[in-house]
Amino acid sequence: MSAAVFLDRDGTLIEEVGYLDRPARITLYPFAVDAIRALNRAGVRTVMITNQSGVARGFFTETVVKDCHRHIADLLRRGGAHLDAYYYCPHHPDGRIAAYAVPCECRKPGRALVDRAVRELGIDPTRSFTIGDRWVDIALARAIGARGVLVRTGYGAGEERRRDPGVSADAIVDNLAGAASWVLAIRR
Ligand SMILES: [Mg+2]
Ligand SMILES: [Zn+2]
């Protein structure tokens, strides 16, 4: 059973642009490739867990989400880095596409996508970490017994000011590079 980093996408790995509806709008943060490669080399699994309610809201399709993830994988591969899996939740109770407009267990902080990673990749969540720019990413850590790192990129700086009374992070760092360093240091 290996340790993993459950990684948020928007505002954490790539620039936050609102509802990302085409691969051409993707910009990896400049430190993202090095950070992921460092985790790869240390043997930490890297698993994307992202809420994509734009599917339920009718802003884009699941095909677009998959195209975006293929593009991110290409960008990472060029730098010798990879994610072990890409999981997303397409649902939202207020959506307008009936098939997706449902309450679900996979929208963060729900843990269903983590449970899928546990089954498919043999991950021990209690030895694992979440990294993200929203308190919901930290709430996911609490739900699975992992440690949660908040990054200040994306919405993170605003989240840090607007403390969620229910959740506190194990670390708050400037960005994914700082988060990867923190994870690698604490694992030693
Ligand atoms: Mg985010
Ligand atoms: Zn869902």
Side-chain angles (χ1 to χ4, degrees), residues 8-12 16 51 107-109 130-141 148-160 162 164 167 169:
D8 175 51
R9 191 187 81 181
D10 304 330
T12 301
E16 168 64 57
N51 286 348
R107 180 173 170 79
K108 290 183 284 188
T130 70
I131 300 175
D133 69 321
R134 307 293 296 258
W135 289 120
V136 71
D137 297 298
I138 308 306
L140 176 63
V149 183
L150 185 77
V151 292
R152 295 191 178 100
T153 49
Y155 291 109
E159 294 284 83
E160 185 181 15
R162 188 183 66 77
D164 184 319
V167 199

Side-chain angles (χ1 to χ4, degrees), residues 51 88-92 100 102-108 112-113:
N51 286 348
Y88 62 90
C89 164
H91 308 113
H92 196 281
Y100 300 106
V102 293
C104 69
E105 303 292 316
C106 56
R107 180 173 170 79
K108 290 183 284 188
L113 296 179

Side-chain angles (χ1 to χ4, degrees), residues 16-95:
E16 168 64 57
V17 295
Y19 290 98
L20 176 64
D21 56 1
R22 54 184 188 277
R25 296 178 72 209
I26 290 171
T27 307
L28 279 184
Y29 285 117
F31 41 79
V33 168
D34 289 346
I36 300 300
R37 197 178 49 232
L39 293 167
N40 293 155
R41 287 186 174 162
V44 181
R45 299 298 194 102
T46 52
V47 179
M48 180 186 286
I49 306 273
T50 179
N51 286 348
Q52 293 301 321
S53 70
V55 176
R57 298 180 202 276
F59 298 157
F60 47 81
T61 64
E62 284 199 65
T63 302
V64 168
V65 177
K66 289 171 187 164
D67 287 347
C68 287
H69 292 174
R70 205 168 297 123
H71 185 60
I72 290 169
D74 285 342
L75 295 172
L76 290 173
R77 193 179 304 118
R78 282 176 218 165
H82 72 275
L83 301 186
D84 292 284
Y86 292 75
Y87 299 130
Y88 62 90
C89 164
H91 308 113
H92 196 281
D94 302 332

Side-chain angles (χ1 to χ4, degrees), residues 163-188:
R163 294 275 176 171
D164 184 319
V167 199
S168 67
D170 294 286
I172 301 180
V173 298
D174 280 348
N175 56 40
L176 181 57
S181 298
W182 189 85
V183 165
L184 293 174
I186 211 166
R187 279 185 80 246
R188 268 189 218 115

